Amino acid sequence: MEDMLRIGVVTTTHGIRGELKVFPTTDDINRFKKTDKVILVTRQGNLTLHIEGVKFFKNLVIVKFKEFDNINQVETFRKCDLMVTREDALPLEEGEYYLCDVVGAQVFDEKDQSLIGKVTQVIETGANNVFEIETEDGRTLLFPAIPDCIKTVDTKEGKVIAHVMKGLMDL
């Protein structure tokens, strides 16, 4: 399990007062208003910052940090990740999980409980997420993370139960 979760990526500056435009990588963009403290991952190291203000513009979040007052202080933060610690993350509802916690889980067929493979990454698409699964013989399979295909995800046990839909196991 990762200790920090990414909630956004800085795209550019906004105005001259030290605000940053952030592309959100979280399902709930309102989490920026619910969070006081974030960690900015820079080339020189991690900075713990405190959110002073949040605005929304198109698909971006404009964030003002208490630590910075002008554009010159924040210009080098482009393409840096904004993270929260797991303890500062929003609580999960029943049946929800963080995508990073699925990576490494073993995937089993719901029909006969046979091992299909291991999740190597979760691909975020516009319609739904896709689990990339590597089989024991080295093949790569793509399973859509939809209720018809992915039946259960147990991140504590590192186990996914999947319904193998027609064509998913074909070469």
Side-chain angles (χ1 to χ4, degrees):
M1 268 195 231
E2 296 181 26
D3 291 336
M4 294 195 300
L5 305 169
R6 186 173 70 172
I7 61 168
V9 178
V10 176
T11 60
T12 188
T13 59
H14 177 79
I16 61 169
R17 293 191 170 85
E19 294 175 307
L20 293 169
K21 288 183 182 177
V22 176
F23 180 78
T25 58
T26 176
D27 288 344
D28 181 7
I29 63 166
N30 289 313
R31 78 130 23 259
F32 285 90
K33 287 189 171 194
K34 301 172 187 172
T35 301
D36 298 338
K37 179 176 65 171
V38 296
I39 298 163
L40 182 70
V41 180
T42 71
R43 290 153 201 82
Q44 290 76 32
N46 295 349
L47 297 174
T48 299
L49 302 175
H50 300 87
I51 294 178
E52 183 176 290
V54 173
K55 298 183 274 191
F56 300 102
F57 177 72
K58 296 185 180 179
N59 65 336
L60 299 174
V61 181
I62 298 171
V63 181
K64 170 75 174 90
F65 295 109
K66 292 178 184 175
E67 290 81 1
F68 304 112
D69 291 322
N70 73 62
I71 190 171
N72 296 325
Q73 296 172 300
V74 298
E75 280 185 317
T76 61
F77 298 149
R78 291 180 189 164
K79 298 183 182 176
C80 292
D81 288 337
L82 272 183
M83 313 285 275
V84 293
T85 62
R86 200 170 275 274
E87 64 187 29
D88 289 334
L90 294 176
L92 295 172
E93 299 290 325
E94 180 72 29
E96 291 183 330
Y97 50 86
Y98 295 113
L99 296 180
C100 62
D101 292 341
V102 179
V103 175
Q106 292 188 314
V107 183
F108 296 91
D109 188 332
E110 79 169 335
K111 188 170 43 176
D112 61 7
Q113 297 300 307
S114 62
L115 178 66
I116 296 170
K118 183 173 81 170
V119 178
T120 54
Q121 72 172 319
V122 179
I123 303 166
E124 296 182 66
T125 69
N128 54 266
N129 295 329
V130 176
F131 290 0
E132 181 181 274
I133 301 166
E134 185 177 315
T135 64
E136 297 222 333
D137 62 2
R139 292 186 299 149
T140 299
L141 307 174
L142 300 175
F143 279 38
I146 58 174
D148 287 346
C149 185
I150 303 299
K151 296 301 184 178
T152 61
V153 175
D154 184 343
T155 57
K156 286 184 178 48
E157 294 291 323
K159 185 176 182 181
V160 174
I161 303 297
H163 170 73
V164 180
M165 299 168 72
K166 186 175 181 176
L168 288 180
M169 300 284 286
D170 296 343
L171 290 175

